[in-house]
Amino acid sequence: MMMARFIPVSSCQFRFGFRELPPSSSSLYPRRFEVSHRRFPIKCSSSEPEYGVDSSPSLSSSSSSSSSTSEVSINSSTYNWFTGLGGIGTLDTAYLTYLKLTGSDAFCPVGGGTCGDVLNSDYAVVFGVPLPVIGFAMYGLVTALSAQLGEDNLPFGISKTNGRFALFAITTTMASSSAYFLYILSTKLSGSSCLYCLVSAFLSFTLFFLTSKDVKLQKIQQVVGLQICLALIVVASLTASYSTAQPILSSSRDIELPYYSTEITTSSSPYAIALAKHLNSIGAKMYGAFWCSHCLEQKEMFGREAAKLLNYVECFPQGYKKGTKIFKACSDVGIEGFPTWMINGQVLGGEVELAELAEMSGFSLDQAK
């Protein structure tokens, strides 16, 4: 019995093969052929293909399509992570913003110190803007941009490449800021801790590393100069902000002062006693600090007896140290210096003569008599 064999024949339009059949004893023709296989290639080839090799364009196209689909799926999953982490950061900074703007106390489950010490320190404000407000805006921007990148639906005709680049620049800025604030927390506010601040720093670093992974190593090498420039701008801006700020007790930042009571050595006149009673009756308040020499001099003007009748508010009843939070009653009215008088809705700063206090409060000599 004769074995069948394939004879390839190629042309520019199609390709097919013949199979030789064994001769039949009753046939007049000694050899017969049968078409056994047909293929229609995409392009012509003048060389003979190897036997058993079947190049299929449709298979290659399908593989490419599958790879593209997988890449899109990976990118979408990554941006979902960005959106989730950005959302957590937004909630964290929103809570800190609420505490900062309302002067409320934070709940701190962890720490040697309180979150209020950090939140109400001089380092919680950058160029007059509360730091949590800046963090809230940055996390909100990351969340919105990541969500739009995941849906490939960027506004204003922004390309996806530019969107990724913007996200990379934002997270680089956030990570640089967090590194700077961790340095401040460990050196300037070493006696305090803030769990919410540490969570925010962790989220910033995580977002930075994820965006770095998304940009790929080759592109990071191309924009490493931009990273360095952004980090230098952040550090220079924060340093300039803190160097120009006017903190309370800036000359005694490293001094810890336990609270102590002051002794008034002068005696009170009848006029001073009557004025003190009048100020108390109309709800006038004097805000001061135990370490403030001007506050003591103001009390000396009234004398021992009259000073006890004043409605005096101590703004540091627990003493003073680095990062000390000012008393809530003082922060609520925006006290910026000592002493400060609040009389009938009007604010008077510094030492004030008794005659001026009497005029401001509507006190007359007849009342004194």
Side-chain angles (χ1 to χ4, degrees):
M1 180 178 181
M2 184 179 295
M3 297 293 294
R5 58 192 179 93
F6 291 86
I7 304 174
V9 178
S10 62
S11 71
C12 291
Q13 300 298 327
F14 55 87
R15 182 181 301 167
F16 58 89
F18 292 99
R19 185 176 62 180
E20 185 177 359
L21 299 177
S24 174
S25 58
S26 60
S27 174
L28 297 177
Y29 302 95
R31 304 178 70 181
R32 292 186 302 165
F33 297 89
E34 178 182 72
V35 177
S36 60
H37 183 66
R38 292 181 297 177
R39 288 184 296 177
F40 297 87
I42 297 298
K43 59 183 179 179
C44 300
S45 174
S46 59
S47 61
E48 292 291 339
E50 295 182 3
Y51 298 116
V53 177
D54 185 9
S55 60
S56 174
S58 61
L59 180 60
S60 175
S61 175
S62 175
S63 175
S64 175
S65 175
S66 175
S67 175
S68 175
T69 302
S70 176
E71 182 180 357
V72 172
S73 176
I74 292 174
N75 289 339
S76 299
S77 176
T78 302
Y79 291 127
N80 288 338
W81 275 102
F82 293 159
T83 305
L85 293 174
I88 296 174
T90 302
L91 294 176
D92 179 55
T93 50
Y95 177 60
L96 293 177
T97 299
Y98 166 76
L99 296 178
K100 181 66 176 177
L101 297 181
T102 61
S104 303
D105 293 325
F107 170 73
C108 286
V110 178
T114 64
C115 293
D117 293 341
V118 179
L119 196 59
N120 293 281
S121 69
D122 303 323
Y123 299 100
V125 178
V126 178
F127 292 114
V129 181
L131 186 60
V133 175
I134 299 176
F136 176 76
M138 296 296 284
Y139 277 114
L141 184 58
V142 168
T143 303
L145 184 57
S146 300
Q148 292 175 332
L149 280 171
E151 297 177 358
D152 199 11
N153 185 26
L154 293 171
F156 311 114
I158 302 175
S159 66
K160 196 166 187 177
T161 300
N162 291 335
R164 289 179 177 178
F165 183 80
L167 186 63
F168 181 67
I170 294 171
T171 55
T172 299
T173 302
M174 294 171 64
S176 302
S177 303
S178 295
Y180 186 91
F181 293 131
L182 287 178
Y183 165 76
I184 293 295
L185 188 62
S186 62
T187 56
K188 306 297 183 180
L189 300 171
S190 57
S192 303
S193 64
C194 179
L195 175 64
Y196 304 103
C197 304
L198 297 178
V199 169
S200 178
F202 172 77
L203 292 173
S204 297
F205 290 134
T206 303
L207 286 169
F208 170 72
F209 287 123
L210 286 177
T211 51
S212 300
K213 180 180 178 182
D214 184 58
V215 171
K216 307 300 182 185
L217 180 60
Q218 295 82 355
K219 294 183 180 179
I220 292 178
Q221 292 173 347
Q222 296 174 4
V223 297
V224 66
L226 174 65
Q227 289 180 287
I228 296 175
C229 288
L230 287 174
L232 291 177
I233 291 174
V234 168
V235 172
S237 299
L238 293 175
T239 302
S241 172
Y242 295 143
S243 64
T244 57
Q246 299 295 329
I248 298 176
L249 273 181
S250 59
S251 61
S252 306
R253 182 175 300 282
D254 297 329
I255 298 178
E256 294 187 7
L257 298 175
Y259 175 79
Y260 58 87
S261 59
T262 55
E263 182 180 357
I264 303 173
T265 59
T266 60
S267 58
S268 301
S269 65
Y271 176 82
I273 294 176
L275 177 59
K277 290 181 179 179
H278 171 72
L279 291 173
N280 196 333
S281 66
I282 65 173
K285 294 182 180 180
M286 173 186 169
Y287 297 86
F290 66 95
W291 43 261
C292 172
S293 60
H294 296 287
C295 300
L296 178 59
E297 292 175 6
Q298 181 74 84
K299 293 178 181 178
E300 291 282 4
M301 290 183 186
F302 281 90
R304 287 188 300 269
E305 297 80 10
K308 295 178 182 179
L309 300 174
L310 294 174
N311 191 356
Y312 173 75
V313 181
E314 173 61 52
C315 293
F316 292 93
Q318 303 300 324
Y320 178 85
K321 63 179 181 179
K322 293 184 297 184
T324 297
K325 180 180 178 181
I326 193 171
F327 190 49
K328 188 176 185 300
C330 300
S331 62
D332 287 345
V333 294
I335 299 299
E336 297 179 354
F338 308 109
T340 297
W341 286 91
M342 300 285 289
I343 303 174
N344 295 328
Q346 296 182 340
V347 180
L348 292 174
E351 300 174 43
V352 183
E353 295 294 333
L354 298 186
E356 186 176 355
L357 290 173
E359 182 180 355
M360 288 288 298
S361 63
F363 180 74
S364 64
L365 290 176
D366 293 337
Q367 292 174 282
K369 294 178 181 179

